[in-house]
Amino acid sequence: MDWHNHIKVDPDICHGKPCVSGTRVMVTTILDNLAEGIEKPEIIKNYPSVTEQDINAVMKYAADLANERVVAFS
């Protein structure tokens, strides 16, 4: 899973915070939902522009950050 295909940073969208590509749904929103125990289907229902692959990419992105890897955006 290459999260770069699903997560983008654009200074003109959500003040440059990481978002699901093509949306204004911030990575933190997805992570907050997952941390609250909300299941993927419910997240997708609440944010129809987000796919299961997007949610998986958000988790991979967070794992990379937690592993203190350099996280570069192209």
Side-chain angles (χ1 to χ4, degrees):
M1 155 74 59
D2 184 2
W3 59 259
H4 290 89
N5 297 327
H6 298 269
I7 299 172
K8 299 296 178 199
V9 171
D10 182 335
D12 295 326
I13 298 173
C14 296
H15 305 287
K17 296 189 183 221
C19 292
V20 174
S21 295
T23 76
R24 292 183 176 274
V25 180
M26 292 184 290
V27 165
T28 55
T29 300
I30 302 299
L31 290 173
D32 287 344
N33 276 262
L34 291 168
E36 289 295 322
I38 299 172
E39 302 283 337
K40 290 179 189 178
E42 185 71 17
I43 295 170
I44 294 166
K45 179 181 171 190
N46 292 334
Y47 303 95
S49 58
V50 173
T51 67
E52 184 171 354
Q53 292 79 20
D54 293 329
I55 296 170
N56 292 337
V58 165
M59 291 188 295
K60 176 68 173 139
Y61 170 77
D64 281 354
L65 287 176
N67 283 314
E68 299 182 276
R69 295 182 186 151
V70 174
V71 179
F73 286 92
S74 49

